[in-house]
Amino acid sequence: MTAEILGPIGQISRQVRDIGAAVAWYRDVLGLPHLFTFGTFAFFDCHGVRLFLSAGEKEVGEPGDSTLYFRTDDIEVAHRRLTERGVTFLGAPHLIHRHDSGVEEWMAFFEDLDGKVLALMSQVRRGTPSA
């Protein structure tokens, strides 16, 4: 019998150009709870997973950059509310996959202040599976 070594993800790191502007955007536009900032580091709570932002000069798309996917119960409402707050989406919410059970996976992608990709993701239950 093997013991579990790894627990859930505790923190995700992301580099930003301007820590002050990023703190304001992630806090005020996305509505993430700001935990604390010190120097060029800022931390947010994402429902128990900590988001760690650090100021730096990494270019968009450089290796090591990651997409942040935020779960939402209603992707249409989340899309509308974020659009009202000035978020520019790369497209409308769209179907990614339909499971045999009928559950649909939907996503909508948008960019942060540095042009890095984030996404909304939602599972939609439409009832009986289609044939």
Side-chain angles (χ1 to χ4, degrees):
M1 179 174 186
T2 60
E4 186 174 307
I5 296 172
L6 299 177
I9 291 175
Q11 180 169 291
I12 296 171
S13 174
R14 190 166 182 120
Q15 196 172 69
V16 298
R17 290 191 180 129
D18 179 330
I19 199 69
V23 166
W25 193 79
Y26 280 83
R27 180 191 62 219
D28 302 337
V29 175
L30 295 188
L32 295 180
H34 178 238
L35 298 173
F36 56 94
T37 298
F38 67 93
T40 59
F41 303 137
F43 297 85
F44 294 85
D45 177 46
C46 296
H47 294 273
V49 176
R50 205 162 57 184
L51 175 60
F52 164 42
L53 303 180
S54 62
E57 293 299 322
K58 179 184 272 190
E59 293 298 318
V60 173
E62 269 190 50
D65 205 13
S66 60
T67 301
L68 302 178
Y69 293 82
F70 293 96
R71 289 190 185 277
T72 182
D73 291 332
D74 190 327
I75 197 165
E76 295 293 339
V77 169
H79 178 265
R80 185 177 68 249
R81 287 185 180 162
L82 288 175
T83 299
E84 290 167 356
R85 292 181 183 180
V87 172
T88 302
F89 280 82
L90 303 175
H94 58 281
L95 177 66
I96 299 293
H97 177 72
R98 183 175 292 114
H99 297 277
D100 291 340
S101 67
V103 172
E104 297 175 350
E105 303 279 347
W106 283 74
M107 291 188 185
F109 295 87
F110 59 100
E111 294 179 340
D112 69 6
L113 296 175
D114 295 316
K116 296 180 181 181
V117 177
L118 300 97
L120 297 176
M121 62 184 289
S122 186
Q123 288 189 328
V124 179
R125 300 184 195 302
R126 301 261 188 226
T128 59
S130 55

